[in-house]
Amino acid sequence: SVSSALNKAHHLRRLCLSGNCQLNGHDVNAVLTRCSTLTELNLSFEGRSNFVLALPASPWNCPHLVHLGLRGMGLENLERLAGCVPSLSSLQHLDLSWNLLRDEGASKLAHALPACASMQSLALHCNGFGPSGAGSILTALRGMSALTSLDLGYNDIGNGPDPLLALAACSALRCLRLDECGLVGGAAVAGLAGGWTGVRALNLSDNVLGGSGAWVLGTV
């Protein structure tokens, strides 16, 4: 088993277990409590939206973890993850895409994110956020000055806060993905008009920006 194999693998730096549908909570617990030298861990389960693997409730022993991939692992992971995130002080890259966290999950994650001062990239693609959930995430990100990449694509931001204006404090932000977020008209991208943004790659595809949105983009 994975847990048995890890008994003598105390010096691992990078570990990829993505796509392993036979993993259980005991195996994952072994990874998170015995591999204290890990800097990169990928437990993602690509393409299986109904796959759920509950993360262990016991404390994680990953003080050096920089990259954490948890794509497509199911909503049940979030509450325990949110409780562990503050202890991951070295975390710089977090991928939680395709988990359908929804607004409740967004709120829990938002409370944990401010502890990750070193966070550089955050992927939350396709999590079923509504304006409320997206708003809580955007508010939490205001103090994360190291953030360079954010993916909120395929979440219904809709008539919530202008994401570009809300992210004005993220001065290091260079890559922003907001495709199919229900953004409508120029008001949805009004933050661009202020000239604050250092974003170099911006994805606004499959929204309804219309003429007013195009006008705002043309003034940047």
Side-chain angles (χ1 to χ4, degrees):
S1 69
V2 171
S3 57
S4 298
L6 289 173
N7 281 327
K8 297 181 180 181
H10 301 298
H11 303 294
L12 281 175
R13 297 293 189 273
R14 298 180 179 179
L15 179 60
C16 181
L17 293 170
S18 62
N20 280 277
C21 61
Q22 298 301 316
L23 282 178
N24 56 45
H26 182 64
D27 292 329
V28 176
N29 183 71
V31 173
L32 297 176
T33 57
R34 299 179 195 175
C35 298
S36 60
T37 58
L38 277 180
T39 61
E40 184 173 335
L41 174 63
N42 187 356
L43 294 171
S44 301
F45 203 79
E46 302 284 354
R48 303 288 181 87
S49 59
N50 62 340
F51 176 71
V52 175
L53 176 60
L55 295 176
S58 55
W60 295 16
N61 184 25
C62 302
H64 308 292
L65 197 62
V66 174
H67 295 258
L68 180 57
L70 297 171
R71 292 171 64 95
M73 291 185 64
L75 179 62
E76 292 182 16
N77 295 299
L78 186 72
E79 189 162 357
R80 291 177 177 176
L81 173 65
C84 292
V85 162
S87 68
L88 303 176
S89 57
S90 298
L91 195 63
Q92 296 179 15
H93 307 279
L94 176 60
D95 189 350
L96 282 167
S97 301
W98 300 97
N99 274 293
L100 292 177
L101 306 180
R102 301 188 174 87
D103 287 348
E104 181 183 359
S107 178
K108 292 175 182 176
L109 182 61
H111 281 93
L113 285 175
C116 300
S118 300
M119 186 77 71
Q120 294 180 19
S121 68
L122 178 62
L124 297 169
H125 191 86
C126 196
N127 268 293
F129 297 159
S132 174
S136 63
I137 293 292
L138 290 168
T139 298
L141 295 178
R142 287 177 178 172
M144 300 177 68
S145 58
L147 194 70
T148 61
S149 178
L150 175 64
D151 182 356
L152 280 173
Y154 281 69
N155 290 293
D156 186 15
I157 296 176
N159 294 319
D162 171 7
L164 297 165
L165 188 59
L167 290 168
C170 297
S171 57
L173 195 64
R174 295 294 178 266
C175 182
L176 180 59
R177 184 170 177 177
L178 296 168
D179 48 318
E180 199 161 319
C181 284
L183 302 176
V184 179
V189 288
L192 278 173
W196 66 267
T197 181
V199 172
R200 297 295 177 264
L202 177 62
N203 187 341
L204 290 168
S205 59
D206 298 314
N207 287 291
V208 193
L209 302 181
S212 59
W215 184 88
V216 170
L217 291 172
T219 64
V220 178

